[in-house]
Amino acid sequence: MSVRSLRIAAALGLVMLLASCSLLQGRNIDRPLVYFVRNVTVMADARIPLDLIEGVDRRVSAAIASTRAPQGAERVVLLVKIDRLGFGEGARRRLAQAKFTVTATSVETGEPVAQGSFTVSSPTDDPKWARQALVEEIAARIRFAFSLATPRIRKAQPPRMMSTRLTTDPPPVIVPDAPPAAPRAAAVAPQAPTMPQNSPAATTPVVSVTPPPTEMAAPPVAEVAQPPSSTAPAQPARRAADVRSGTPVENGASGTIRLRPDCDPAVTPDCPATP
């Protein structure tokens, strides 16, 4: 009886030892775990669409970048392997379903510290959104299992417009842009025909003859009528005998003094007395 009890106790001890070794090597993910996740790698065979793999990798990487590093947590990297892609059963036979395995490997030791297998289904059977919805379900299950944050969706804010125009001002006049002018082709100068180097004509220098300058015709000159000149009638000079002392002309000089612009009654007999 004692020998049988010892055998049972030894068997129980061996089972507990094997269970503890399996827990140390990698425990199943049955609740949210807290690790300092550094990176993720998503892999699958050729039957899995490439956009599904890229979508899962992009979403999990964004969740890792948005998660604050926990204090004192072990550093791990995630390996996501998509095992099967198909459809559900029963009421979910029209919904897409994916089975995948996630393994967390320690950065320090290189050994797996946690591993779990999951099955998720797409919430819609619309062909347009079924694939993306399944990708989001896979990423959401990984975020929950490793306590990762959900990245926020950034909304593009419209640019702020600042204006000093009052509400009572008239609306601005918008002038439509003029159509761009077509570029003009540059004039290409004609090239002289090339002569072979061995020909005697190629050795004779070509002297360019400058064409004579073209004379420009002078513009026609209109004849301008000259105004008639108002000249006074010629008057005879006074004789030297008529020059007496006390007159404006003396000392043997000869000259004339006009008191009127037209004529002088003292010199011209036919000059009227009044102008």
Side-chain angles (χ1 to χ4, degrees):
M1 188 69 180
S2 59
V3 177
R4 186 177 181 181
S5 301
L6 290 175
R7 290 179 179 177
I8 294 175
L12 291 176
L14 181 60
V15 170
M16 293 179 62
L17 180 61
L18 294 176
S20 62
C21 293
S22 62
L23 290 177
L24 290 176
Q25 292 295 329
R27 54 184 177 179
N28 190 21
I29 302 175
D30 52 1
R31 60 184 178 84
L33 305 177
V34 179
Y35 288 106
F36 183 15
V37 182
R38 303 299 305 273
N39 202 351
V40 64
T41 301
V42 183
M43 58 182 302
D45 54 13
R47 297 174 298 177
I48 307 301
L50 184 60
D51 58 344
L52 181 68
I53 301 174
E54 293 177 349
V56 175
D57 184 272
R58 183 172 60 253
R59 283 170 169 79
V60 177
S61 299
I64 294 173
S66 303
T67 304
R68 182 177 299 179
Q71 296 293 335
E74 185 178 2
R75 298 186 302 168
V76 298
V77 292
L78 301 182
L79 175 61
V80 181
K81 184 178 181 302
I82 302 177
D83 302 320
R84 177 181 174 274
L85 181 63
F87 292 91
E89 298 178 358
R92 297 187 178 184
R93 62 181 179 273
R94 299 181 57 184
L95 302 179
Q97 188 180 78
K99 294 183 179 181
F100 60 97
T101 304
V102 183
T103 304
T105 305
S106 175
V107 176
E108 285 78 10
T109 62
E111 297 180 357
V113 295
Q115 185 177 9
S117 299
F118 308 96
T119 302
V120 295
S121 299
S122 175
T124 179
D125 58 349
D126 189 355
K128 184 185 298 184
W129 309 105
R131 184 73 58 78
Q132 295 299 326
L134 185 62
V135 169
E136 180 60 29
E137 289 294 327
I138 297 174
R141 189 66 183 90
I142 297 174
R143 290 196 301 263
F144 175 78
F146 290 92
S147 304
L148 299 178
T150 303
R152 298 178 58 183
I153 300 177
R154 296 183 179 181
K155 297 182 179 180
Q157 298 294 337
R160 297 182 179 180
M161 304 298 294
M162 181 178 296
S163 176
T164 57
R165 188 173 64 87
L166 302 177
T167 56
T168 56
D169 294 345
V173 179
I174 301 176
V175 180
D177 297 336
R184 295 184 300 177
V188 180
Q191 297 181 358
T194 58
M195 301 292 294
Q197 297 181 358
N198 298 332
S199 61
T203 59
T204 304
V206 179
V207 180
S208 60
V209 179
T210 305
T214 304
E215 297 183 358
M216 298 180 62
V221 180
E223 296 182 358
V224 180
Q226 299 293 336
S229 60
S230 57
T231 57
Q235 300 182 9
R238 298 181 64 177
R239 297 174 299 177
D242 298 336
V243 179
R244 298 184 300 272
S245 178
T247 60
V249 181
E250 57 184 11
N251 297 329
S254 62
T256 58
I257 299 176
R258 293 183 181 181
L259 300 179
R260 295 172 53 180
D262 50 354
C263 62
D264 189 359
V267 179
T268 307
D270 56 350
C271 181
T274 58

